[in-house]
Amino acid sequence: MAKGLQGFSWTMLLLFCAIQELGAWAMHTAVEGPGLGQPGDPTLLAGGRVKRGWVWNQFFVVEEYTGTEPLYVGKIHSDSDEGDGSIKYTISGEGAGTIFLIDEITGDIHATERLDREQKTFYTLRAQARDRQTDQLLEPESEFIIKVQDINDSEPRFLEGPYIGSVAELSPIGTSVMQVMASDADDPTYGSSARVVYSVLEGEQHFTVDSKTGVIRTAVADLDRETQDRYEVVIRATDMAGQLGGLSGSTTVTIVVTDVNDNPPRFPQKMYQFSIVETAPVGTAIGRVKAEDSDVGENTDMTYQVKDEEGVEMFKVTTDSNTQEAVISVQKPLDYESKKVHTVVVEALNKFVDPRFVDLGTFRDQTIVRVSVLDVDEPPEFLPPSNLMEVQEDAHVGSVVGIVTALDPDTANHPVRYAIDRSTDTERIFDIDANTGAIVTGKVLDRETAGWHNITVLAMEADNHSQVSRASLRIRILDVNDNPPELATPYEAAVCEDAKPGQLIQTISVVDRDEPQSGHRFYFTLAPEATNNHHFSLLDIKDNTAAVHTQRMGFNRQEQDVYLLPILVVDSGPPALSSTGTLTIRICGCDSNGAIQSCNSTAYVVSATLSPGALIALLVCILILVVLVLLILTLKRHHKSHLTSEDDEDMRDNVIKYNDEGGGEQDTEAYDMSALRSLYDFSEIKGGDGGGGPGDGVPSGNPASELHALPQWVQSPDLDFSVFRDYICKKVEQADEDLSVPPYDSFQTYAFEGSDSPVPSLSSINTWSSGSEQDFSYLGVWGPRFRQLAALYAGRRGEEDSEES
């Protein structure tokens, strides 16, 4: 059909071109040449009329030409052309020389290529008339247009596909779904080639399309998503306004039917059965049920609730938001002995209801849930729940504090046995009768030590001790007046020697460990042994305190500086208890203003009775002192024996070597030279008592002269070296008697000074072997380094000479 249409179009176009050649639509254009209006211009005619320069037809060329010869477009001609071939016609511009060719002599223009109007609708060119000899323009250049004439060669196309639309189910007829649009590349201004109409090829049973706008609408009102949720509709677009011979194109439109809440929830079953043990704790899930809903999305969201009163009290229903299931759980404890089966009515209803579809029916459904309670062996239960008992603190051991009762809730009603959890009563203060549950005291009670006791009582089946119940029991110890009052502190007071009668000395208060319900009331009096006291008086102030006053004029601390006042304190009972406390009063010297200046340091009289703690502390202190004395004595004995053993040690242990270097003879301040000089001042040697002999180990000769051979500065005749001499002699005798002892105490002689020494030896040891005095005068010629030594020995020698003379 498309080929037949193209043949028909070519026939019409050829007829149209023939009419053009006959001049039906000829157009003449006059163009002024150069120098238009100048005198002598050949184009200026008489009367001033301008001569026409260019004359040609308006050009059209049909698209999609399939002929073998070039297609004639038109002819350009200048009225100055006399037909002798002197004018050459040329063109320039779009397609000149390629698409369009011109005959230089005749001015005929031909199209050499197949044109497509959808790609380019017109071409702009310029025409020139030139002198063939000089190639100069004879007329001004003129512009003209070659239009490409359209034929119906392009079918409509849906450019925005694929198309996907949606419409809600149960929408009324004529509800707009979406719009499609086709585009035709043909010329919309020429004929009907681009006039498109729409129609439905497939799916016309459910949808229609507007032939002009392409809007798709519903054709029925009973679209049901649950039946079919997707439709494929084929839309066709035809040009030529749908006339015979028009081209067409088609597209497929996918229409999705969206959901509305038009279906109520429905339970698949009308009854569900579950079972649970009676000991299940509150909150335990029993089971799940779910109502089905054909809708999707939020239209399936639903809530569940319990409708009957019994179910509301015993059970709770919640909705699982993920699965849309009803979760049934225990709301109150279950009891098989009370009720074995529970019936619960559960209702499901949509959360979001569309008011447009209320007339379709109720959007809720109900089902019955039967819950069977299973019997289990339960532990005993305590009755009643009271957990407080009271007992007097003076109750005898074995007194009944109270009775606890527990029963077996099972149908068998097994006997119950009782016990106390000893982790809560480690001291076993209380006991319990295993059969009756009577709680009795197991030890003497003392409220002042522990006023409350918290114990745990166990109840268990007699034949099954694994079934145990626990009950916390609080036992309060009631107070009994069993503690006498005591003075708050060991009171001490001071009074001036010049005190006047009636002067307040001290205010007394007491403490009592008991706590009577009516409160404390204490009475104060002087002890019987102080009834004849004429120095001080006691006044009961009636507010549980008492005041001590002086009763005489002045005191003499030289006669007595400390008074001990016994005070008797009695409580209100019952029974009334009493104790005696002592107030220590010191007599002090005071100034004129009553300020205490000094008190005698007389030791206070203390009670002869001490507490066990004080006695233990005193014994510990005494024991520590004894241990310290023994330790000191042992250390001293060990030290003494150590000193005795040291008497036999070698003398080499007492020889100390010093390697310190001095600063030479120029350094006179580094050492105290007097300490060195004193080493040679032995008075006993100077006095001629050498103490030597053949057996003394001392060389024969004159010891006094040998001593004077050494430098001497200070002679101290008062020094006594007999101790050292005796010690040395003793060591020498021991060495002589024991031949196996190495000669540690030996005399060393250094006589060899080397050869060719210009200076004789200065050794003091060598001096002992000399029999004459040594002359130190030669030290003066040894140079400045020996100047200090020469001055010392030369000066000492002069003093000795003067003494001898």
Side-chain angles (χ1 to χ4, degrees):
M1 184 175 65
K3 293 183 178 180
L5 181 60
Q6 291 180 356
F8 175 77
S9 300
W10 277 110
T11 304
M12 296 298 294
L13 288 174
L14 292 176
L15 179 60
F16 177 72
C17 293
I19 296 173
Q20 274 190 326
E21 289 295 331
L22 295 175
W25 294 327
M27 178 181 291
H28 300 277
T29 302
V31 181
E32 294 181 352
L36 182 61
Q38 298 294 332
D41 191 338
T43 62
L44 190 59
L45 302 179
R49 183 170 62 86
V50 180
K51 180 182 178 182
R52 294 177 299 172
W54 288 99
V55 179
W56 67 82
N57 295 327
Q58 187 171 1
F59 302 137
F60 294 89
V61 61
V62 68
E63 67 170 337
E64 302 298 341
Y65 173 70
T66 57
T68 57
E69 298 295 332
L71 178 62
Y72 178 77
V73 178
K75 182 184 183 69
I76 59 174
H77 180 74
S78 175
D79 56 0
S80 62
D81 187 0
E82 298 179 355
D84 55 359
S86 61
I87 295 177
K88 180 176 68 173
Y89 296 99
T90 60
I91 59 175
S92 62
E94 296 177 334
T98 56
I99 300 175
F100 303 104
L101 300 178
I102 187 173
D103 191 319
E104 296 181 353
I105 298 176
T106 62
D108 294 333
I109 299 176
H110 293 80
T112 61
E113 294 183 7
R114 184 177 178 180
L115 303 181
D116 188 358
R117 192 205 66 83
E118 284 71 32
Q119 294 183 358
K120 192 172 182 62
T121 58
F122 64 90
Y123 296 85
T124 302
L125 296 95
R126 292 175 297 278
Q128 302 94 21
R130 298 178 180 273
D131 185 279
R132 187 175 296 277
Q133 300 297 329
T134 63
D135 200 31
Q136 292 183 353
L137 287 175
L138 300 178
E139 300 291 342
E141 185 178 70
S142 181
E143 185 177 88
F144 64 97
I145 296 175
I146 300 178
K147 293 183 178 181
V148 180
Q149 196 166 12
D150 183 47
I151 63 173
N152 189 17
D153 61 342
S154 298
E155 71 279 1
R157 296 174 180 266
F158 293 92
L159 303 179
E160 298 180 2
Y163 294 92
I164 300 177
S166 63
V167 63
E169 61 176 334
L170 300 182
S171 297
I173 297 175
T175 302
S176 176
V177 178
M178 65 178 303
Q179 183 181 19
V180 295
M181 185 175 294
S183 177
D184 196 320
D186 292 328
D187 188 0
T189 62
Y190 179 74
S192 300
S193 300
R195 290 180 59 189
V196 178
V197 295
Y198 301 93
S199 60
V200 179
L201 286 182
E202 295 180 11
E204 63 275 3
Q205 300 89 346
H206 302 94
F207 299 96
T208 62
V209 64
D210 190 292
S211 61
K212 295 181 179 180
T213 62
V215 176
I216 301 174
R217 301 179 184 275
T218 57
V220 294
D222 59 350
L223 292 177
D224 187 9
R225 187 203 64 83
E226 288 74 28
T227 303
Q228 184 175 352
D229 61 352
R230 185 182 297 268
Y231 293 88
E232 303 290 339
V233 181
V234 179
I235 303 298
R236 180 175 64 185
T238 306
D239 61 9
M240 297 296 292
Q243 297 177 5
L244 184 62
L247 303 180
S248 63
S250 62
T251 185
T252 300
V253 179
T254 301
I255 299 177
V256 179
V257 181
T258 59
D259 184 59
V260 297
N261 194 7
D262 59 338
N263 294 281
R266 291 288 181 264
F267 284 103
Q269 301 175 213
K270 288 303 179 182
M271 179 178 291
Y272 296 87
Q273 291 187 354
F274 299 100
S275 61
I276 188 170
V277 296
E278 61 176 334
T279 56
V282 174
T284 302
I286 300 175
R288 290 172 175 249
V289 296
K290 182 179 181 181
E292 302 295 339
D293 193 330
S294 301
D295 297 322
V296 294
E298 68 176 10
N299 295 324
T300 61
D301 292 347
M302 60 188 69
T303 58
Y304 299 89
Q305 59 186 5
V306 179
K307 295 300 294 183
D308 60 310
E309 295 181 359
E310 179 189 356
V312 170
E313 182 181 358
M314 299 299 299
F315 303 97
K316 180 181 179 181
V317 176
T318 58
T319 304
D320 189 332
S321 58
N322 296 324
T323 62
Q324 296 301 314
E325 291 177 320
V327 181
I328 305 171
S329 57
V330 178
Q331 184 163 282
K332 282 189 176 181
L334 303 174
D335 186 10
Y336 172 82
E337 289 72 25
S338 300
K339 192 169 185 178
K340 300 177 176 59
V341 178
H342 296 268
T343 301
V344 185
V345 178
V346 179
E347 183 181 64
L349 62 158
N350 279 133
K351 187 182 294 186
F352 306 103
V353 178
D354 195 333
R356 297 176 299 172
F357 308 106
V358 175
D359 55 347
L360 297 179
T362 175
F363 284 81
R364 61 183 63 198
D365 193 21
Q366 293 182 351
T367 188
I368 297 175
V369 178
R370 291 173 55 88
V371 180
S372 299
V373 181
L374 304 179
D375 185 27
V376 295
D377 190 7
E378 299 176 272
E381 295 181 355
F382 283 92
L383 296 175
S386 177
N387 62 347
L388 176 61
M389 294 183 180
E390 295 180 345
V391 62
Q392 296 283 345
E393 68 173 323
D394 60 348
H396 298 289
V397 176
S399 300
V400 177
V401 179
I403 299 177
V404 295
T405 303
L407 299 177
D408 185 7
D410 296 326
T411 306
N413 194 14
H414 297 96
V416 178
R417 298 293 180 262
Y418 303 92
I420 293 178
D421 186 354
R422 289 305 174 185
S423 64
T424 61
D425 185 24
T426 56
E427 297 180 3
R428 295 182 175 270
I429 299 176
F430 300 97
D431 292 322
I432 190 171
D433 190 295
N435 297 320
T436 63
I439 299 176
V440 297
T441 58
K443 289 185 178 180
V444 176
L445 303 177
D446 186 8
R447 188 204 62 82
E448 288 71 32
T449 303
W452 287 88
H453 295 273
N454 298 320
I455 64 175
T456 300
V457 179
L458 308 178
M460 63 200 78
E461 295 180 2
D463 55 352
N464 185 6
H465 288 181
S466 63
Q467 295 297 329
V468 180
S469 295
R470 297 172 177 268
S472 297
L473 186 63
R474 300 171 66 239
I475 301 177
R476 179 183 179 183
I477 309 301
L478 300 179
D479 185 40
V480 174
N481 190 27
D482 58 347
N483 292 280
E486 298 176 353
L487 295 182
T489 60
Y491 286 101
E492 294 183 3
V495 63
C496 297
E497 287 183 294
D498 57 353
K500 298 178 180 181
Q503 181 176 338
L504 177 64
I505 299 176
Q506 182 69 46
T507 300
I508 304 298
S509 62
V510 298
V511 293
D512 194 334
R513 298 176 61 190
D514 295 322
E515 293 181 358
Q517 295 182 355
S518 59
H520 289 288
R521 179 68 181 93
F522 303 109
Y523 304 94
F524 299 86
T525 60
L526 292 178
E529 61 268 23
T531 54
N532 297 326
N533 168 57
H534 302 289
H535 306 293
F536 306 97
S537 63
L538 179 67
L539 177 62
D540 191 344
I541 306 177
K542 308 299 183 181
D543 61 350
N544 295 333
T545 61
V548 179
H549 298 82
T550 58
Q551 198 174 357
R552 56 174 280 187
M553 175 69 74
F555 295 88
N556 187 356
R557 59 176 175 169
Q558 300 298 329
E559 296 179 357
Q560 185 175 354
D561 58 351
V562 175
Y563 292 87
L564 302 179
L565 185 64
I567 300 174
L568 178 64
V569 184
V570 183
D571 61 15
S572 57
L577 301 179
S578 64
S579 68
T580 301
T582 301
L583 171 64
T584 303
I585 304 174
R586 295 186 299 164
I587 309 301
C588 303
C590 303
D591 58 10
S592 59
N593 296 326
I596 296 176
Q597 295 295 323
S598 63
C599 298
N600 290 342
S601 57
T602 303
Y604 298 122
V605 178
V606 297
S607 174
T609 60
L610 296 177
S611 63
L615 290 175
I616 293 175
L618 184 60
L619 292 176
V620 170
C621 293
I622 295 174
L623 181 62
I624 292 175
L625 291 176
V626 172
V627 171
L628 289 176
V629 171
L630 294 176
L631 181 62
I632 292 172
L633 293 176
T634 302
L635 291 176
K636 284 185 176 182
R637 172 176 288 184
H638 178 71
H639 182 66
K640 185 175 181 180
S641 62
H642 179 69
L643 292 177
T644 304
S645 63
E646 287 182 353
D647 293 342
D648 299 332
E649 290 183 355
D650 296 334
M651 285 298 295
R652 59 177 177 175
D653 294 336
N654 297 327
V655 178
I656 301 175
K657 180 179 181 181
Y658 296 92
N659 291 326
D660 294 340
E661 295 182 2
E665 68 270 14
Q666 301 297 330
D667 185 3
T668 60
E669 298 180 359
Y671 299 93
D672 186 4
M673 300 302 295
S674 62
L676 298 176
R677 297 188 186 102
S678 64
L679 295 177
Y680 300 99
D681 297 340
F682 297 96
S683 59
E684 64 272 17
I685 299 177
K686 181 180 178 181
D689 185 9
D696 294 336
V698 179
S700 61
N702 189 3
S705 62
E706 294 294 330
L707 178 63
H708 285 291
L710 296 176
Q712 299 180 10
W713 290 271
V714 180
Q715 296 284 342
S716 179
D718 298 331
L719 295 177
D720 184 11
F721 295 98
S722 60
V723 176
F724 301 100
R725 181 170 58 253
D726 295 338
Y727 177 77
I728 294 173
C729 292
K730 180 179 179 181
K731 300 299 288 184
V732 170
E733 292 176 358
Q734 292 178 355
D736 293 338
E737 294 174 359
D738 189 1
L739 299 178
S740 64
V741 175
Y744 289 118
D745 298 331
S746 61
F747 188 84
Q748 302 292 333
T749 302
Y750 300 93
F752 182 73
E753 291 291 341
S755 59
D756 298 332
S757 175
V759 180
S761 174
L762 298 178
S763 173
S764 59
I765 298 177
N766 193 30
T767 307
W768 288 96
S769 61
S770 175
S772 62
E773 297 294 336
Q774 186 173 355
D775 187 8
F776 297 100
S777 60
Y778 58 85
L779 297 176
V781 298
W782 283 6
R785 294 183 177 274
F786 295 91
R787 186 176 302 154
Q788 186 70 19
L789 185 62
L792 291 174
Y793 281 89
R796 187 62 181 173
R797 183 65 178 175
E799 293 177 0
E800 292 177 354
D801 295 343
S802 61
E803 291 177 358
E804 292 177 356
S805 62

